[in-house]
Amino acid sequence: DTINGAVTFDHVSFQYPDTQAAVLHDISFETKPGATVAIMGATGAGKTSLVGLIPRLYEQNTGVVKIDGKDITTLNTEYLRDAIGYVPQEIILFTGTIQDNIAWGKEDATLDEIIEAAKLAQIHDTIISFPMGYDTMLGQKGVNLSGGQKQRLTIARALVRKPGILLLDDSTSALDIRTEATLLQALRDVACTTFLITQKISSTLHADLILLLEDGSLLAQGSHEELLENCVLYQRIYES
Ligand code: M5T
Ligand code: MG
């Protein structure tokens, strides 16, 4: 049972159990399968919290989150975790080979699957440029990867599960514009719905949908052209 990756938020509000105020207020939006969704907003606006609701890392207090039209609270958690690739804001790599780092969490992945994920994540060419290729050691006794290389490696780790939905929490911040655009196009080509938390206008240009959060509210949503026309904050970000 694979998913198409349509995601719907219907009047979703959310508050962490240990806090006084809600961090997300009445969020509603809808994405088509395979869409690229950029999420922007200042630090603390609620970007990480919003994407965390999709794999049910947390539960919203009101409203409904749907995947392919199904309320996610009715879906099997294992199925959800398998269908959704999540690249957290904090990168975790461990001492071990590149291959093991990509396969982390899916130890039965074949080398072919690992290579396919690395290609999609735009990191395969870098890996094969190392003398030991996929057997290259990371960590103290191994190579030191650049920030952007580490980000792509963790993206490959999420892609090895062939998810229908990919959540990238600031995971392209260290990539140059061209590499990022190639990555987003590759994800589009395999019809993987991608939520990209970003501070860069370059990543929103080609998004099908931009969600602009301010203090937990959806200040504006639409395409780059629509927001440029209708949203003063977006204009300001664009011009800065
Ligand atoms: C939104 C609070 C946080 C902020 C608001 C993860 C987390 C966040 N918060 C908690 O109370 N408990 C938590 O476990 O929620 O935070 P966010 O969603 O992390 O915001 P962001 O991703 O837009 O910010 P940043 O800095 O990553 O760009 O009030 O205190
Ligand atoms: Mg965050």
Side-chain angles (χ1 to χ4, degrees):
D1 230 50
T2 53
I3 66 159
N4 291 318
V7 177
T8 309
F9 273 54
D10 190 8
H11 297 289
V12 170
S13 296
F14 170 63
Q15 170 170 3
Y16 287 97
D18 52 344
T19 54
Q20 293 293 312
V23 297
L24 293 170
H25 314 271
D26 198 25
I27 306 285
S28 296
F29 66 87
E30 194 171 328
T31 73
K32 294 197 178 70
T36 309
V37 183
I39 304 177
M40 290 191 102
T43 177
K47 305 182 295 296
T48 296
S49 305
L50 190 157
V51 298
L53 294 177
I54 301 173
R56 288 183 76 194
L57 300 184
Y58 330 105
E59 204 80 50
Q60 72 273 15
N61 302 84
T62 54
V64 181
V65 178
K66 290 180 193 166
I67 294 180
D68 296 342
K70 293 184 207 99
D71 182 338
I72 58 171
T73 62
T74 68
L75 298 174
N76 178 295
T77 331
E78 219 168 294
Y79 163 81
L80 256 190
R81 300 282 151 85
D82 234 36
I84 299 170
Y86 183 42
V87 183
Q89 207 163 0
E90 307 280 338
I91 289 178
I92 302 168
L93 293 173
F94 55 86
T95 303
T97 65
I98 286 180
Q99 178 175 339
D100 290 346
N101 269 278
I102 294 177
W104 187 41
K106 194 179 189 318
E107 277 73 19
D108 62 347
T110 64
L111 183 57
D112 280 347
E113 288 171 329
I114 290 169
I115 291 173
E116 193 186 332
K119 282 184 176 165
L120 195 50
Q122 310 302 312
I123 191 66
H124 172 73
D125 290 348
T126 305
I127 295 171
I128 58 170
S129 76
F130 300 134
M132 299 287 286
Y134 281 82
D135 292 323
T136 303
M137 285 293 288
L138 299 182
Q140 288 186 336
K141 289 184 177 159
V143 299
N144 268 310
L145 300 176
S146 72
Q149 289 168 342
K150 286 180 186 164
Q151 287 183 329
R152 280 173 286 158
L153 210 60
T154 53
I155 294 171
R157 177 188 287 160
L159 288 172
V160 90
R161 298 162 176 278
K162 301 191 179 71
I165 299 172
L166 181 65
L167 311 174
L168 302 177
D169 196 344
D170 226 13
S171 317
T172 61
S173 58
L175 302 191
D176 61 81
I177 291 176
R178 223 182 52 148
T179 306
E180 183 185 45
T182 309
L183 169 70
L184 293 178
Q185 185 56 50
L187 292 168
R188 213 186 266 272
D189 291 344
V190 296
C192 180
T193 302
T194 302
F195 284 81
L196 174 67
I197 293 178
T198 180
Q199 298 296 343
K200 298 192 291 185
I201 278 287
S202 58
S203 8
T204 67
L205 285 178
H206 306 291
D208 301 289
L209 179 67
I210 301 165
L211 305 175
L212 186 54
L213 284 174
E214 191 178 58
D215 293 334
S217 294
L218 200 47
L219 185 72
Q221 61 175 305
S223 66
H224 172 72
E225 289 74 20
E226 285 166 344
L227 292 199
L228 256 195
E229 199 164 306
N230 303 322
C231 179
V232 178
L233 177 60
Y234 190 77
Q235 290 164 5
R236 255 190 246 142
I237 299 170
Y238 183 64
E239 281 153 15
S240 65

